[in-house]
Amino acid sequence: MRQIYPVAGPDLQVIPRAAAGPLPDAVARLAHLYGNGAAANAVVPPRHGRLRANMVASADGAVTLAGRSGGLSGPADKMIFTVLRSLADLILVGAGTARTEHYRPVQQEETWLQLRPAGAPLPPIAVVTGTLDLSNCEGLLTVPPGPSQTIVITTAAAPADRKAALAGKARVIEAGEYAVDVRTAVQALAGLGYSSILTEGGPTLLGELIAAGLLDELCLTTSPQLAAGPAGRIASGPPATQGLSLGHALVDGDFLLCRYLSG
Ligand SMILES: NC(=O)c1ccc[n+]([C@@H]2O[C@H](COP(=O)([O-])OP(=O)(O)OC[C@H]3O[C@@H](n4cnc5c(N)ncnc54)[C@H](OP(=O)(O)O)[C@@H]3O)[C@@H](O)[C@H]2O)c1
């Protein structure tokens, strides 16, 4: 993998899984490139901590192959996934993604602990859901109370029995009456001290974050494949536009890995 914009960089070893021990140079270099501060060419200062999205799409814009994102990914995309998780206070996902992708608590091999402040806990997963249906991702409810415990962001109108069943298994935040208001949700997370938020989608949630003007940056891997078919794009919902500037671009083989900044 190597940087091609705004300057050409050296070859970086691709290491898809995090490990203990000395931090590899390539990981340190990526952590610097994706550092949490706004990049030098960011125009708009963040309105809350920072909220960035990490997504992968085919060359024709499909967000899934056969219903999942895994077939679009590659080793460099996986490496960036681990670096971005390592730099985040919290991982925010919609329940559709959590169910389809069988989300589980953040794992050690997905996080370079060397990039986190000494003693910092693994970042929690926060799931946005109206139904409180967490089937296929029940592992999220096994984290003991504490800073890494899963957060469930839901509504006042969510099924009371399911809400009650979450007691002791997840921290529950109500952020809306009948639908989660993502602005209220992000403010609530900031109030709990989560100022650097990484969203991993999916398209419904990302569309809402864009529409609310909350997205500071998009890290997008373009996979060298065409998908055609019915797959959606990385963001859905009502039309919402947001200008982006290209912070940097990397290539790994035929994969293109870009960081776009708001404004
Ligand atoms: N290529 C990629 O990078 C990537 C990344 C992520 C996901 N994906 C793919 O995207 C697909 C899932 O798409 P999706 O749009 O369904 O995913 P999503 O945005 O993760 O989930 C949608 C669900 O999130 C909950 N939700 C979102 N906004 C809400 C709100 N304002 N209030 C209450 N609940 C809200 C609802 O859950 P309830 O139904 O529980 O109420 C809704 O059904 C999967 O196939 C996945 O593989 C691809």
Side-chain angles (χ1 to χ4, degrees), residues 6-73:
V7 293
D11 279 337
L12 301 174
Q13 185 188 5
V14 175
I15 309 169
R17 294 166 82 88
L23 190 67
D25 287 348
V27 176
R29 172 80 188 148
L30 285 182
H32 178 72
L33 270 178
Y34 286 92
N36 278 342
N41 53 352
V43 178
V44 182
R47 299 154 296 282
H48 43 83
R50 280 195 75 76
L51 198 157
R52 74 168 132 207
N54 184 27
M55 305 292 286
V56 59
S58 68
D60 57 340
V63 76
T64 53
L65 287 181
R68 307 257 319 249
S69 60
L72 293 166
S73 186

Side-chain angles (χ1 to χ4, degrees), residues 159-188:
D161 55 338
R162 288 184 174 175
K163 216 179 274 184
L166 290 175
K169 298 180 178 173
R171 187 154 24 160
V172 178
I173 294 175
E174 288 183 10
E177 188 67 27
Y178 296 104
V180 169
D181 177 83
V182 290
R183 190 178 293 275
T184 304
V186 168
Q187 278 168 357

